[in-house]
Structures are given as structure tokens and as C-alpha cells.
Amino acid sequence: AQKITQTQPGMFVQEKEAVTLDCTYDTSDPSYGLFWYKQPSSGEMIFLIYQGSYDQQNATEGRYSLNFQKARKSANLVISASQLGDSAMYFCAMTSGRGTGRRALTFGSGTRLQVQP
Amino acid sequence: ETGVTQSPTHLIKTRGQQVTLRCSSQSGHNTVSWYQQALGQGPQFIFQYYREEENGRGNFPPRFSGLQFPNYSSELNVNALELDDSALYLCASSSMTGSEETQYFGPGTRLLVL
């Protein structure tokens, strides 16, 4: 079974600064995927970024980057140049299992990010 | 906008009743997954449907059941509602991206059981 741990219930960051949201994971499967989602107060889960366990480089998507440290089993999300609209819950999630896709997501407990002007 | 829609947006039921939630997947996606998110927690996987067949199930009792239709839309049915079923129910559709599958979520249905 896999597990995601997010140890920061809440984080504050000043507008235009960078922030790192922590995520550690546990799985015995060598093949897995790591995801970050953003959930505003409206409730919709918005996909931000994906990292595969065999990817050699850290994933980046615009202002989002994933700091993937495989040996430490960590997949921290870095948001650069924070904006007020970044205030939301952020969830780290993973899938694991061999073969092709259609695997269930296991989520962490989330981190609430508040961007201050 | 992900193209994934859910209905209704909000629902109030009483204990013991039955409820059906609906989800339309993004065009081109053939897999739908359902998740339950209790207040203050991360989503929990209920089950997944691939080409109209159940493809995996989380730790939920049989009174949680589902369907996927030929157009890949889906329903989640919950019988004999309990107070603890009050939650946000999220549906996600997916397609293959390389060797991984990114799931795109709908806006959710907020269910309150009284």
C-alpha cells in the first residue's frame, strides 16, 4: 500500500515570493506517479504538475516545479512568484502499480497556502 | 476548465435514503474515478470504471455502487445513506499521457445527509 504525508497543515507566503510545500511518499513499487493538485474554496481539484518515478529531470509547469528526490522519497512543490490567486489547499497524490494506467490516486491530507499582499 | 461536469452541485438527503450522482467525462477519456472527500481531509478513492467495467475499488461498502455508460459518463449510487456519507464527491476522468494517467476532476457534488 502507498502513503502520502504532508506535514504542513498551513503555510503563509508574501506575494511575489517563492514557497515550497512538502510531500513525502511511501511505496514498495518501483513504478509510480506523483501529482500535485490545487483545491480552491469552490472545491474543484485542479491538476498542477506530474512527475514519473523514472523521469530523470524534475517536472516544471510555468510557475510550478516539482523537487523530486527519489532516495529521500520526497516530491516537494515549489511555487515561484506567488500570487493572491494561489491561496488554496494543495494536495500531493500518487499512483503506483505495474503496467498501464487507470490506477487510483492516494492523496495526502493537504496544505493550506495563504498568500499575503 | 477540465470539461468534466457533475450534477447536481449540492444535495440534501435524510438518513436511509438513496442518492445518485452523475458525471460527464472529458471528451476522449475512457476512465472515470470517484472520490469521497470529507471535510478537512484529502479525497478517498471509491472506485474506478474503465470501458463500462469496474476496474478497482477502495475501502467502501457495497452500498456504494456505480455505472459507466457507452459514452463514458458515469453514475455513483449510494443506498441507505448514513450521516458519515456527508462529503464532497469528486469524479475524475482520465486518459493516458505516456506511461501515466493524469486525472482531471469535475467541480464536485456536495452531499449533506441529515
Side-chain angles (χ1 to χ4, degrees):
Chain A
Q2 54 265 29
K3 184 178 180 181
I4 294 283
T5 302
Q6 295 181 255
T7 57
Q8 305 157 313
M11 290 280 287
F12 289 90
V13 65
Q14 290 294 122
E15 195 177 7
K16 299 180 184 177
E17 292 185 350
V19 62
T20 298
L21 306 184
D22 294 341
C23 172
T24 58
Y25 61 91
D26 189 28
T27 180
S28 57
D29 202 305
S31 174
Y32 51 89
L34 294 157
F35 301 81
W36 278 92
Y37 286 87
K38 171 184 177 182
Q39 188 176 43
S41 56
S42 61
E44 184 169 357
M45 220 35 109
I46 301 168
F47 167 70
L48 296 178
I49 196 166
Y50 159 75
Q51 179 87 42
S53 58
Y54 295 119
D55 293 344
Q56 295 297 311
Q57 294 188 327
N58 287 345
T60 59
E61 289 286 349
R63 294 187 298 111
Y64 305 107
S65 60
L66 199 152
N67 184 2
F68 181 45
Q69 297 188 43
K70 196 169 184 176
R72 299 176 68 177
K73 292 190 174 181
S74 74
N76 298 339
L77 176 70
V78 180
I79 305 174
S80 63
S82 296
Q83 301 172 356
L84 296 178
D86 294 335
S87 294
M89 281 292 287
Y90 287 81
F91 288 95
C92 180
M94 74 179 299
T95 58
S96 66
R98 296 185 181 276
T100 56
R102 300 178 294 280
R103 292 165 283 188
L105 284 165
T106 297
F107 285 85
S109 55
T111 296
R112 180 169 298 281
L113 177 66
Q114 295 188 54
V115 181
Q116 297 176 319
Chain B
E1 290 287 331
T2 64
V4 181
T5 61
Q6 292 186 243
S7 62
T9 56
H10 295 80
L11 203 51
I12 300 175
K13 291 285 188 179
T14 56
R15 195 170 49 181
Q17 285 189 311
Q18 177 266 343
V19 68
T20 298
L21 309 182
R22 295 179 175 83
C23 171
S24 292
S25 56
Q26 187 173 327
S27 177
H29 288 183
N30 56 19
T31 302
V32 174
S33 305
W34 286 92
Y35 295 83
Q36 180 196 65
Q37 186 178 19
L39 196 62
Q41 298 181 22
Q44 299 288 319
F45 173 68
I46 303 174
F47 45 57
Q48 184 177 81
Y49 279 83
Y50 170 63
R51 294 185 176 178
E52 303 177 59
E53 297 285 331
E54 188 179 290
N55 189 53
R57 189 179 184 91
N59 188 26
F60 280 82
R63 59 189 185 84
F64 285 78
S65 63
L67 284 173
Q68 188 181 28
F69 300 99
N71 66 355
Y72 302 131
S73 65
S74 177
E75 286 183 354
L76 163 65
N77 299 290
V78 187
N79 293 321
L81 283 166
E82 300 177 0
L83 298 180
D84 285 348
D85 296 333
S86 295
L88 177 67
Y89 288 84
L90 294 162
C91 131
S93 74
S94 46
S95 66
M96 294 297 293
T97 304
S99 62
E100 189 47 74
E101 175 183 80
T102 297
Q103 297 187 25
Y104 295 91
F105 286 81
T109 294
R110 293 188 187 274
L111 173 64
L112 176 61
V113 182
L114 301 175

